[in-house]
Amino acid sequence: MKVVIGRYVPGSGFFYSMDPRTKIIALILLMIATFLIDSFALMLGAIGLIVLLMMAGRIGIKRVYLGLRPLMFLLIFTFVFQILFNRQGEILLSRTVYYSFLSLALAVGLVVFWFFTKKFTRFKLFYFVIMVAGLYAIFTEIGNVSPFATGTLAIYEEGLSMAAFIMLRLIIIVTLSTILTITTKPTDLNLGLEHVLKPLKIFRINTEDIAMIISISLRYIPTLLDEANKIMLAQASRGVDFKEGKLKDKVMQIVSLLVPMFIISFKRSDELANAMEARSFTPGATRTRLHQLSWKRLDSVAIGIAFLALSLSIVLRISPWI
Amino acid sequence: MAIKFEHVSFQYKSIDNKGYLALDDVNVVIENTGEFITLIGETGSGKSTLVQHMNALLTPSKGSMNILGVKISSTAKENKDVQFNPIRKQVGLVFQFPEYQLFEETVEKDIMFGPKNFGVSESEAKKRAREAINIVGLDDSYLSRSPFNLSGGEKKRVSIAGILAMEPDILILDEPTSGLDPRGRDALLEVFYQIHTSLNKTVLIITHDMNTVYEYAKRVLVMREGALVYDGDPVKLFSRKNIDNWNLDVPDIIQLKDALESNFHLDMSGTIRNKKALLKRLEEVLS
């Protein structure tokens, strides 16, 4: 399993001994604080603080980086989008873009070449940057051979800074949530969520039910994965090749996987409901717990610090000096 | 020599990267005609993992196998050019739980699904579906029914028909009689035995029922903790002393025979593998 987001990694350190409620509330406070920050220096300062926190809590930076990696595409996409379409502030760069048969052909060729060779290099990000630079050169210089259309590529100051800002914000938010999920067991997380959501009771939303739904879903993810794997093997025995096949076959393959999946899930949920009722589970009734959450001094300190960070960011946002 | 395993080991990967050794250095040769094999062992001993190797659903972590002339080794690189689908057509594997494979609107379509995947024409697949459903002991009226409104035993039969319609050379069944009533179980075992004798095909059955093993099998494989600990004659297997270590039951017929010998001092020598033979011997001794 390569996906790191949302996965608990056993370890030690103060994050692990914190109450899940603390971690959830602190995460929300710090996220709001991140959105309030509007200067580069502060943003970098915040990142520095988070790195320090991670080092103090003995969470490997590499782990969090692995968590960020699947989001790299999203990050790059928002970055490029902001740069290209935000047209405010001073113009930093303005170039004519040539659309010709040569430039389009070269661009497609380069992207295809990059797609097939990227797995042979160990510096994937660097290779990607080289590819983008190549695309830039093709459209602005090399492709200037009898173009049938031209356009302008303009980068504005505001666009660049907004792009950088959004990217940093996303990185901070994902890092903070990764710290939460790495250090908190799904069951604890769920229990914490149940307590944090308790105020919703005034809107007549039963938070215990929501928590139960979440915990059952979490519990059944591995089971369903296992089941899906078994169904795939059973259908592969009947000649379904999940790797290949035309579009028409693909639809049939997915149907042959999904239908048994649904049937088994419904059957399972039915059985689970019966098993729960056999053990006197009553929806909405007050339940006691084996594991009680305990609020420690560490939690009070952590919440205090999170509040401090939030108020600091509010003050810095509205104060006239910065 | 249709299926040949050479030092095959298989490790399931787990989250903590320790892995679980499901197959441990298995060497076995299975002919593609004329064998009737039962595979026994405790739950978790690696029986299902072993049969999933036999039609290349799983490939070994170590060692190599040769299935109907196709060599499959432990590295993805060497297996790159292997065509897996023809192997699965020739080695038909029926899974333990029919719920994992039934998905079509009607039983007929579901049985036709396998053959059609292997390029059999619509009309031919229809013909085969009709034949297959009759072989497993259900009548034609089932063809138009939904596979989800059937009883557990009927679902099981339909899932077996789905594989039979592929007309495999080797038929492998993972606990085909679990969840069936005694009469249905006997009828189905008779069907497998018929397929074996009339078409001279190799049939391999995973089972926990020692009576099945003793009555039908020409050859028995015993798995224990991922290793193949016995490969040979079932009569010899149950006369061995160490079968208690393998947590195997003694078949009813042997228990009865032993009781007759020790309690009534009857001479029950000779190979007695089913009720008929036992009765015949009793008549001989008592008359």
Side-chain angles (χ1 to χ4, degrees):
Chain A
M1 291 246 282
K2 277 180 185 165
V3 182
V4 183
I5 313 170
R7 219 182 112 196
Y8 172 71
V9 181
S12 58
F14 67 84
F15 281 119
Y16 285 90
S17 45
M18 259 190 218
D19 193 298
R21 286 170 291 185
T22 315
K23 284 188 264 190
I24 294 169
I25 295 169
L27 174 71
I28 296 167
L29 294 179
L30 291 178
M31 272 189 184
I32 299 171
T34 324
F35 275 102
L36 288 173
I37 291 174
D38 60 352
S39 88
F40 252 113
L42 282 174
M43 197 62 112
L44 291 177
I47 290 183
L49 276 176
I50 288 169
V51 170
L52 274 179
L53 258 179
M54 276 161 57
M55 277 154 73
R58 274 184 278 165
I59 293 169
I61 290 175
K62 203 182 155 199
R63 252 192 210 299
V64 177
Y65 166 71
L66 285 176
L68 278 171
R69 226 167 45 176
L71 290 173
M72 212 48 116
F73 178 75
L74 182 74
L75 290 177
I76 290 170
F77 185 76
T78 45
F79 190 79
V80 171
F81 210 74
Q82 279 292 331
I83 283 186
L84 292 184
F85 294 101
N86 193 328
R87 314 217 138 160
Q88 282 169 321
E90 273 178 60
I91 295 181
L92 292 181
L93 175 106
S94 178
R95 294 292 299 261
T96 317
V97 183
Y98 304 102
Y99 299 108
S100 65
F101 288 114
L102 179 68
S103 70
L104 288 180
L106 277 176
V108 169
L110 184 67
V111 171
V112 169
F113 179 75
W114 167 78
F115 189 79
F116 282 106
T117 53
K118 68 176 177 183
K119 52 177 165 286
F120 299 115
T121 170
R122 293 182 61 200
F123 309 99
K124 285 207 178 69
L125 195 62
F126 182 62
Y127 197 55
F128 179 75
V129 172
I130 291 181
M131 198 271 297
V132 172
L135 279 182
Y136 176 75
I138 286 171
F139 278 112
T140 55
E141 302 282 344
I142 307 168
N144 191 5
V145 182
S146 61
F148 50 78
T150 54
T152 36
L153 171 77
I155 294 177
Y156 293 82
E157 196 189 343
E158 191 86 337
L160 194 63
S161 66
M162 274 299 275
F165 240 90
I166 288 175
M167 196 154 136
L168 287 178
R169 253 182 209 150
L170 274 176
I171 289 176
I172 289 180
I173 287 166
V174 174
T175 308
L176 288 173
S177 349
T178 311
I179 293 177
L180 173 72
T181 51
I182 278 181
T183 61
T184 320
K185 283 185 203 137
T187 45
D188 285 343
L189 195 63
N190 184 43
L191 197 54
L193 212 59
E194 187 186 326
H195 283 273
V196 172
L197 290 178
K198 252 193 186 144
L200 286 179
K201 274 223 165 119
I202 43 172
F203 301 115
R204 302 213 164 189
I205 296 170
N206 194 339
T207 50
E208 273 188 8
D209 283 357
I210 296 173
M212 180 61 85
I213 292 167
I214 296 172
S215 73
I216 290 176
S217 332
L218 287 175
R219 160 64 187 78
Y220 275 97
I221 289 171
T223 312
L224 288 179
L225 275 178
D226 197 47
E227 222 108 74
N229 192 33
K230 276 185 186 156
I231 296 168
M232 270 167 89
L233 288 179
Q235 302 298 26
S237 282
R238 297 207 289 168
V240 177
D241 196 342
F242 284 97
K243 282 175 200 135
E244 283 163 37
K246 288 174 234 128
L247 188 69
K248 192 180 148 245
D249 300 337
K250 276 264 185 293
V251 173
M252 204 59 182
Q253 288 167 11
I254 291 166
V255 170
S256 77
L257 180 63
L258 275 186
V259 174
M261 201 73 213
F262 269 109
I263 303 259
I264 288 172
S265 309
F266 280 125
K267 215 173 130 193
R268 241 178 216 295
S269 57
D270 204 31
E271 277 166 9
L272 181 69
N274 283 338
M276 283 165 80
E277 274 180 359
R279 288 191 281 172
S280 297
F281 175 82
T282 323
T286 325
R287 298 174 66 215
T288 53
R289 298 198 173 271
L290 179 60
H291 300 287
Q292 296 285 346
L293 294 177
S294 60
W295 192 267
K296 292 186 275 294
R297 188 184 290 161
L298 174 69
D299 298 302
S300 308
V301 174
I303 286 286
I305 291 174
F307 260 114
L308 206 67
L310 178 61
S311 32
L312 200 67
S313 66
I314 295 173
V315 170
L316 288 172
R317 173 84 184 215
I318 55 174
S319 70
W321 319 298
I322 295 172
Chain B
M1 174 187 77
I3 298 176
K4 188 178 183 192
F5 280 43
E6 279 178 356
H7 303 287
V8 168
S9 296
F10 184 78
Q11 199 157 22
Y12 280 109
K13 284 180 197 117
S14 58
I15 298 171
D16 54 2
N17 287 328
K18 269 181 204 149
Y20 171 75
L21 198 63
L23 288 185
D24 186 6
D25 194 29
V26 172
N27 293 289
V28 71
V29 176
I30 291 167
E31 303 295 334
N32 59 348
T33 50
E35 291 219 65
F36 199 91
I37 306 170
T38 50
L39 175 56
I40 54 179
E42 298 166 82
T43 36
S45 59
K47 303 182 297 290
S48 295
T49 311
L50 183 69
V51 295
Q52 283 171 24
H53 277 76
M54 288 180 181
N55 73 345
L57 285 176
L58 299 175
T59 54
S61 309
K62 257 188 228 155
S64 69
M65 43 192 199
N66 190 319
I67 302 172
L68 301 154
V70 182
K71 192 175 152 49
I72 291 164
S73 63
S74 56
T75 51
K77 218 179 209 172
E78 285 176 62
N79 291 339
K80 217 171 74 182
D81 298 325
V82 174
Q83 291 286 321
F84 286 100
N85 253 6
I87 297 175
R88 288 170 195 158
K89 194 218 160 290
Q90 284 166 300
V91 184
L93 172 61
V94 182
F95 273 68
Q96 188 179 354
F97 300 106
E99 288 84 6
Y100 288 135
Q101 67 174 65
L102 301 178
F103 77 99
E104 282 279 15
E105 298 151 56
T106 64
V107 168
E108 183 179 37
K109 277 190 183 172
D110 208 278
I111 299 175
M112 284 161 65
F113 181 67
K116 274 166 74 185
N117 278 331
F118 294 116
V120 172
S121 70
E122 184 90 18
S123 56
E124 169 71 12
K126 244 184 190 143
K127 203 184 110 217
R128 286 193 191 181
R130 193 165 294 263
E131 283 168 10
I133 197 91
N134 290 333
I135 291 177
V136 295
L138 300 176
D139 57 60
D140 290 358
S141 68
Y142 279 89
L143 288 174
S144 53
R145 289 176 62 175
S146 160
F148 303 110
N149 293 336
L150 302 176
S151 73
E154 288 165 342
K155 276 184 192 166
K156 193 120 208 177
R157 285 161 195 257
V158 170
S159 74
I160 293 168
I163 303 292
L164 285 179
M166 285 156 40
E167 300 188 344
D169 297 334
I170 299 173
L171 182 63
I172 300 174
L173 303 119
D174 194 344
E175 299 197 29
T177 53
S178 67
L180 290 180
D181 54 80
R183 192 178 277 177
R185 181 193 65 206
D186 291 346
L188 215 49
L189 281 172
E190 208 51 53
V191 166
F192 303 143
Y193 199 67
Q194 279 302 315
I195 291 169
H196 160 68
T197 47
S198 61
L199 303 168
N200 202 26
K201 282 185 179 176
T202 289
V203 175
L204 189 150
I205 297 175
I206 294 184
T207 182
H208 285 292
D209 181 24
M210 295 307 141
N211 297 326
T212 308
V213 176
Y214 200 61
E215 199 174 331
Y216 290 99
K218 289 183 179 169
R219 180 178 167 193
V220 58
L221 308 175
V222 183
M223 297 275 297
R224 183 164 169 75
E225 287 169 5
L228 191 66
V229 290
Y230 183 86
D231 177 359
D233 189 6
V235 179
K236 273 190 197 138
L237 170 73
F238 291 110
S239 60
R240 282 164 73 115
K241 290 279 172 287
N242 57 352
I243 69 163
D244 285 343
N245 303 344
W246 296 341
N247 284 350
L248 300 177
D249 241 2
V250 176
D252 295 347
I253 293 286
I254 295 184
Q255 288 183 24
L256 191 57
K257 198 179 95 174
D258 288 350
L260 286 171
E261 273 177 344
S262 57
N263 296 352
F264 301 99
H265 308 288
L266 297 172
D267 174 26
M268 301 299 286
S269 56
T271 42
I272 297 166
R273 289 176 66 168
N274 50 30
K275 277 180 224 153
K276 237 188 208 165
L278 187 83
L279 274 175
K280 204 175 149 216
R281 181 71 198 161
L282 260 182
E283 274 170 14
E284 281 170 20
V285 173
L286 294 176
S287 61

